[in-house]
Amino acid sequence: MAIAIKIILSVIFGYAGVVKIIDPEGMRQAIEAYRVIEGPLAVMAAYFVPALEVVLALALWSKRFHKEAAFIVMALSIFFTGLILSAWLRGLNIECGCFGKALQVHSYAQLIIRDGALVIISAYLWWRLSFAKRA
Amino acid sequence: MLFNSIRNFLGKIAILLLLSLIIAAVVAWLKPIPTQNPAKEGVIELTIAEAMALEPLWVDARSPHAYLDEHVPGAVNISLDAWDTGLLHFANAWKPGKVVVAYCDGGPCVDSHQIAKKLAKAIPQLEVYVLKGGFPSWQSQ
């Protein structure tokens, strides 16, 4: 089960990171569309978030770092879900930007369900890697 | 024991974040992007005090729904989605020589910049600015 979740999360985060690293300008525009940060901060986030996603996708397969990677994946998924929810509540009409210009989803409900699922499976993975063996 | 586990856990998180930061720096070096949104270039922004001093014709570049909810008194609504209709309303309200200040939601919103550019292109003699901080800055003054 843990292996299957690792595959799912590393494929999703790895793909999301790579497509956004290729197009940092598009990522910056997607970030600014959320109307939370702009200018230099948005530029820094446009570089950092995709890099973090790629690092996490790889770290999930490292015995030394997999627990920590699962924890950050969970935290990041919670953050993304909150961000999408806040955009929805503020009535913004935006693309998710989650996978750059690829795989665009236009429904907020679909996005929240998708990210909510990521929160649940990453939380399960973190719990499994960190505590399940001791129980 | 617990303290050491937490310290070890946080240390590894720091390593992952640092590694991401290094990769981000390399990508930034290879693929630099401007810190200023290109959509905001070519338009002068005014503070609320500067704009009020000009007694301008306000242009509300937000959605019609947001405009109906609340707007600067006397403002004309021109949203990007209803440019033609908005321009007609603007033509009825604007008098030659009157300065125009456009606003939208503030923050990273660039609709007011885009509307200002389109207006300047449509009416070359127009003196048009954008309100820095957008509608929230008018609400808070």
Side-chain angles (χ1 to χ4, degrees):
Chain A
M1 184 70 165
I3 297 286
I5 293 175
K6 277 186 183 182
I7 291 171
I8 292 168
L9 291 176
S10 56
V11 167
I12 291 173
F13 275 74
Y15 177 74
V18 169
V19 294
K20 288 182 291 198
I21 280 178
I22 291 168
D23 181 20
E25 174 61 33
M27 177 61 179
R28 194 269 296 274
Q29 287 172 11
I31 290 171
E32 291 196 334
Y34 282 90
R35 299 183 187 177
V36 175
I37 54 171
E38 62 174 329
L41 268 181
V43 170
M44 281 193 271
Y47 286 121
F48 181 72
V49 173
L52 179 62
E53 288 173 334
V54 171
V55 166
L56 293 176
L58 297 172
L60 282 172
W61 297 98
S62 154
K63 278 193 176 173
R64 195 178 158 88
F65 290 104
H66 62 175
K67 280 186 274 186
E68 292 75 16
F71 177 80
I72 303 175
V73 165
M74 177 185 70
L76 212 52
S77 300
I78 292 171
F79 175 73
F80 289 153
T81 308
L83 203 58
I84 290 165
L85 193 61
S86 88
W88 193 9
L89 293 175
R90 284 178 290 146
L92 300 180
N93 182 20
I94 56 170
E95 302 293 348
C96 170
C98 315
F99 296 95
K101 289 186 171 66
L103 298 178
Q104 290 189 344
V105 177
H106 301 282
S107 156
Y108 275 114
Q110 281 177 24
L111 286 171
I112 288 168
I113 289 169
R114 188 183 70 189
D115 281 20
L118 285 179
V119 171
I120 292 167
I121 63 170
S122 56
Y124 172 77
L125 180 65
W126 178 58
W127 171 80
R128 180 80 187 264
L129 296 173
S130 304
F131 306 109
K133 282 178 190 169
R134 292 178 204 167
Chain B
M1 177 74 177
L2 180 66
F3 176 75
N4 280 343
S5 295
I6 292 171
R7 198 175 65 174
N8 187 33
F9 182 74
L10 294 177
K12 286 181 184 175
I13 284 180
I15 290 170
L16 291 174
L17 295 178
L18 190 65
L19 195 59
S20 307
L21 210 57
I22 292 168
I23 293 172
V26 172
V27 177
W29 179 64
L30 292 172
K31 300 187 94 167
I33 51 175
T35 52
Q36 172 73 14
N37 189 327
K40 289 191 173 183
E41 287 171 4
V43 182
I44 298 171
E45 292 186 342
L46 300 180
T47 62
I48 184 66
E50 290 168 337
M52 296 284 273
L54 294 172
E55 296 180 7
L57 171 62
W58 295 96
V59 167
D60 189 318
R62 300 173 303 152
S63 67
H65 178 75
Y67 173 80
L68 286 177
D69 197 34
E70 191 184 5
H71 58 262
V72 177
V76 179
N77 182 223
I78 314 180
S79 70
L80 287 169
D81 294 336
W83 165 253
D84 291 335
T85 317
L87 190 59
L88 274 177
H89 290 146
F90 177 82
N92 289 331
W94 181 70
K95 291 182 174 59
K98 188 83 169 168
V99 172
V100 172
V101 178
Y103 64 86
C104 56
D105 286 322
C109 167
V110 292
D111 288 7
S112 53
H113 296 76
Q114 288 174 297
I115 290 291
K117 284 181 196 174
K118 284 174 80 106
L119 281 173
K121 198 174 173 184
I123 310 168
Q125 70 269 32
L126 193 68
E127 189 179 345
V128 58
Y129 302 97
V130 161
L131 177 63
K132 196 171 188 175
F135 189 61
S137 75
W138 180 82
Q139 285 177 307
S140 61
Q141 52 94 32

